[in-house]
């Protein structure tokens, strides 16, 4: 049914918790803000950074820009590779590639960082390209990234695309762009979050996702 699979990066292909939480801690210490719990910090994985600083900490536009700058001081130096690939993901990507599917990374993380992560973990061989945001935080909303990925890959039939991600932003972005969405539960979003925000299907584990994407009995 689908020829193109758009994969989110954080919480879908890799578990970035250590690098992202450490980067937030670095930024929040700079501003003298009390550090939230580890669980709360992990809830920030997925949304655009500017949105998180504004909605979670009440930052102004200017403060949010400064917050992103401090976050990236740590992330660019250390946090980028404080990251692990979910077990089974390379095998899943290999299987899809062998089945003739076109795979694309569609992430709100800056494209520059995302390419480095994908290359570091040996995943670049599976993807047509990596589509992300720009360093100035433009093109950071998920629908903007998806539209960019569609244009970059010259896809005319949107019914052939499935967006795969772990947070509501992936589901909402997909719906706004008129494509189908698959939520996964091994990342950082709940079943309720994904279902409420338009997931067409849900896979609990990487193995479930493989069964789903290769056309075996659906799981949810």
């Amino acid at each position: 049914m689908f020829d193109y699979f758009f994969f989110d990066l954080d919480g879908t292909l890799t578990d970035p918790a250590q690098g992202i939480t450490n980067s937030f801690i670095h930024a929040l210490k700079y501003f003298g803000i009390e550090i939230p719990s580890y669980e709360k910090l992990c809830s920030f994985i997925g949304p655009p950074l500017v949105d998180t600083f504004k909605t979670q900490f009440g930052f102004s536009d200017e403060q949010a820009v400064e917050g992103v700058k401090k976050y990236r001081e740590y992330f660019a130096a250390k946090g980028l590779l404080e990251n692990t690939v979910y077990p089974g993901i390379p095998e899943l990507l290999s299987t899809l590639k062998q089945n003739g599917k076109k795979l694309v990374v569609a992430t709100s993380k800056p494209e520059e960082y995302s390419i480095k992560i994908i290359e570091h973990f040996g995943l670049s061989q599976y993807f047509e390209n990596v589509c992300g945001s720009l360093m100035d935080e433009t093109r950071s909303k998920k629908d903007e990234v998806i539209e960019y990925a569609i244009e970059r890959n010259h896809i005319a039939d949107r019914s052939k695309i499935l967006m795969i991600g772990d947070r509501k932003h992936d589901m909402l972005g997909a719906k706004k762009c008129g494509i189908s969405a698959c939520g996964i539960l091994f990342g950082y979003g709940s079943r309720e979050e994904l279902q409420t925000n338009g997931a067409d299907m849900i896979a609990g584990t990487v193995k479930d996702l493989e069964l789903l994407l290769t056309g075996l009995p659906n799981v949810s």
Side-chain angles (χ1 to χ4, degrees):
M1 177 180 179
F2 299 107
D3 294 333
Y4 293 87
F5 292 121
F6 286 7
F7 283 88
D8 177 43
L9 178 54
D10 290 343
T12 301
L13 296 173
T14 68
D15 183 351
Q18 183 182 1
I20 288 180
T21 56
N22 284 341
S23 298
F24 270 112
I25 289 170
H26 176 79
L28 295 177
K29 282 182 176 178
Y30 172 80
F31 289 100
I33 296 173
E34 182 178 353
I35 307 302
S37 68
Y38 179 75
E39 181 180 27
K40 182 65 174 178
L41 288 170
C42 284
S43 74
F44 302 156
I45 298 173
L49 291 174
V50 166
D51 291 354
T52 297
F53 280 114
K54 290 168 70 173
T55 61
Q56 298 296 324
F57 302 103
F59 279 25
S60 65
D61 290 342
E62 294 78 12
Q63 288 173 320
V65 170
E66 184 68 11
V68 171
K69 180 180 177 181
K70 300 307 293 186
Y71 172 100
R72 287 181 177 161
E73 279 184 356
Y74 183 94
F75 191 81
K78 296 182 179 179
L80 185 71
L81 300 181
E82 290 179 336
N83 202 340
T84 56
V85 178
Y86 285 116
I89 285 294
E91 293 80 5
L92 167 63
L93 300 176
S94 178
T95 296
L96 295 174
K97 188 80 170 178
Q98 289 173 14
N99 288 347
K101 303 302 182 182
K102 303 292 186 181
L103 313 181
V104 175
V105 175
T107 174
S108 291
K109 185 184 289 298
E111 192 169 293
E112 178 180 326
Y113 292 156
S114 302
I115 290 171
K116 290 180 180 178
I117 292 169
I118 292 296
E119 289 179 347
H120 175 78
F121 289 111
L123 301 180
S124 57
Q125 61 183 306
Y126 304 116
F127 291 100
E128 300 299 306
N129 40 59
V130 176
C131 300
S133 65
L134 300 174
M135 292 298 285
D136 64 0
E137 286 301 302
T138 57
R139 202 173 67 209
S140 63
K141 296 186 183 304
K142 205 51 179 262
D143 60 286
E144 295 171 340
V145 174
I146 292 172
E147 286 291 351
Y148 165 58
I150 292 172
E151 180 180 354
R152 185 172 173 185
N153 288 278
H154 310 290
I155 304 171
D157 186 353
R158 298 187 181 215
S159 71
K160 298 296 184 181
I161 309 170
L162 180 67
M163 179 71 218
I164 301 155
D166 67 315
R167 300 302 306 272
K168 68 179 182 181
H169 310 83
D170 302 304
M171 308 300 108
L172 292 171
K175 296 297 105 177
K176 190 169 183 178
C177 294
I179 67 173
S180 298
C182 174
I184 52 96
L185 299 179
F186 51 86
Y188 288 87
S190 67
R191 180 181 292 274
E192 180 181 7
E193 174 184 337
L194 296 167
Q195 288 180 330
T196 301
N197 290 284
D200 296 295
M201 58 198 84
I202 294 178
T205 67
V206 175
K207 186 60 178 178
D208 290 340
L209 183 60
E210 181 179 353
L211 293 174
L212 192 63
L213 300 186
T214 54
L216 294 176
N218 287 1
V219 290
S220 63

